[in-house]
């Protein structure tokens, strides 16, 4: 919808204002903004240091000039407003962050990632997941911005989502997407195939809204190993497919 697109563009517009001042690439600023958002919305004791580690890259304030931190803050306000507006309208929040990433990749001829379209993600979730209130586990070994989880959550609101991605940008987007949807999730920055990990985030659902905190590499590795073992066990379990009816001569 056009309203959603205008919100998406208003978020990107604040990052372009910083680009006009600093000359940084858009996606450098997008990564900084995501890191700042994750730090600002986390509940751990080190959040301020992680926040300032990013802000120090942009120097001190100068008299008479707007600081990049102001635009980063306004962009986060636009994101939260877009989530609230969509949720109030139809109870569903689209992948705003992933859409920004894809649209800017196209407009700048950037050879970045492109995620599974949201309608296809919803179709896949409907095919794979029976609606349930049980506390099931749902894993995605290459979660991207979390679109499969976004599609699956209405079907299994009490599920725990386990996501892994090698790209920290995707990890940040997925963690934020789980946070604003009040989901329970562990999102690992690592490689599902090699079990190499760098960290991640844990998101916990509550009646008052989700909370988020970082995972250190050891914690993230434990999550990844456990998820990989569960996925392997599930793949190895014997399954039986229903017998297909023999085709009639007319069908043949």
């Amino acid at each position: 919808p056009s309203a959603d697109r205008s919100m998406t563009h208003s978020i990107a517009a604040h990052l372009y204002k910083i680009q006009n001042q600093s000359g940084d690439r858009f996606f450098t600023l997008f990564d900084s903004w995501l890191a700042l958002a994750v730090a600002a919305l986390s509940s751990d004791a080190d959040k301020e240091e992680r926040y300032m580690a990013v802000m120090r890259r942009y120097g001190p304030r100068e008299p008479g000039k707007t600081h990049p931190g102001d635009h980063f803050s306004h962009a986060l306000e636009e994101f939260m407003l877009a989530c609230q507006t969509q949720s109030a309208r139809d109870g569903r929040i689209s992948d705003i962050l992933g859409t920004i990433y894809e649209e800017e990749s196209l407009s700048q001829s950037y050879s970045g990632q492109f995620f599974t379209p949201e309608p296809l993600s919803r179709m896949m979730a409907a095919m794979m997941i029976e609606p349930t209130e049980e506390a099931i586990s749902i894993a995605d070994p290459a979660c991207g911005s979390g679109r499969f989880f976004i599609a699956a959550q209405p079907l299994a609101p009490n599920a725990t989502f386990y996501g892994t991605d090698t790209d920290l940008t995707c990890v940040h987007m997925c963690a934020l997407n789980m946070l604003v949807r009040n989901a329970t999730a562990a999102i690992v920055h690592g490689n599902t195939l090699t079990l190499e990990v760098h960290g991640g985030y844990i998101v916990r659902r509550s009646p008052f809204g989700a909370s988020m905190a970082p995972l250190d590499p050891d914690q993230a590795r434990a999550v990844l190993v456990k998820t990989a073992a569960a996925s392997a066990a599930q793949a190895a379990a014997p399954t039986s497919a229903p017998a297909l009816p023999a085709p009639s001569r007319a069908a043949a």
Side-chain angles (χ1 to χ4, degrees):
S2 58
D4 295 343
R5 188 172 295 275
S6 66
M7 290 176 180
T8 298
H9 289 328
S10 67
I11 295 169
H14 286 292
L15 302 184
Y16 277 117
K17 289 178 181 179
I18 303 174
Q19 184 183 56
N20 292 337
Q21 294 178 351
S22 66
D24 290 332
R25 293 173 60 251
F26 175 86
F27 285 103
T28 299
L29 297 170
F30 187 62
D31 288 342
S32 292
W33 176 62
L34 290 173
L36 288 168
V38 167
L41 298 173
S42 293
S43 58
D44 62 294
D46 298 328
K47 57 180 293 183
E48 184 173 351
E49 177 53 37
R50 290 188 290 115
Y51 186 92
M52 292 307 301
V54 178
M55 286 307 305
R56 291 189 191 102
R57 303 173 197 168
Y58 298 93
R61 288 187 176 273
E62 298 181 23
K65 287 188 177 182
T66 303
H67 192 270
D70 298 328
H71 294 303
F72 283 133
S73 177
H74 292 322
L76 181 56
E77 291 173 5
E78 293 284 356
F79 172 59
M80 300 305 292
L81 176 61
C83 292
Q84 291 175 350
T85 300
Q86 291 186 3
S87 179
R89 184 181 61 209
D90 56 16
R92 176 174 300 194
I93 305 172
S94 66
D95 181 18
I96 298 168
L97 301 176
T99 300
I100 295 173
Y101 184 94
E102 290 179 319
E103 289 183 350
E104 295 306 319
S105 295
L106 286 170
S107 66
Q108 301 186 36
S109 300
Y110 174 68
S111 57
Q113 302 182 63
F114 292 89
F115 309 120
T116 305
E118 291 185 83
L120 182 56
S121 295
R122 290 194 291 271
M123 183 187 74
M124 291 167 57
M127 294 172 64
M128 298 173 65
I129 301 168
E130 290 288 340
T132 179
E133 296 292 329
E134 295 183 10
I136 64 173
S137 297
I138 299 174
D140 188 340
C143 61
S145 60
R147 284 189 178 171
F148 182 70
F149 294 161
I150 293 171
Q153 192 200 17
L155 301 173
N158 296 314
T160 297
F161 300 95
Y162 296 94
T164 306
D165 207 283
T166 58
D167 189 338
L168 183 58
T169 300
C170 291
V171 171
H172 283 159
M173 286 192 287
C174 189
L176 288 168
N177 273 329
M178 294 294 93
L179 181 74
V180 298
R181 289 167 176 80
N182 194 19
T184 297
I187 312 301
V188 173
H189 179 205
N191 189 314
T192 304
L193 298 178
T194 64
L195 300 183
E196 177 186 7
V197 296
H198 309 288
Y201 297 91
I202 185 77
V203 182
R204 293 185 176 89
R205 184 182 186 186
S206 85
F208 308 103
S211 63
M212 177 169 59
L215 295 171
D216 63 36
D218 289 337
Q219 293 170 325
R221 183 174 292 104
V223 171
L224 183 56
V225 169
K226 181 178 179 181
T227 305
S231 298
Q234 183 177 10
T239 59
S240 58
L244 297 177
S248 66
R249 289 184 179 274

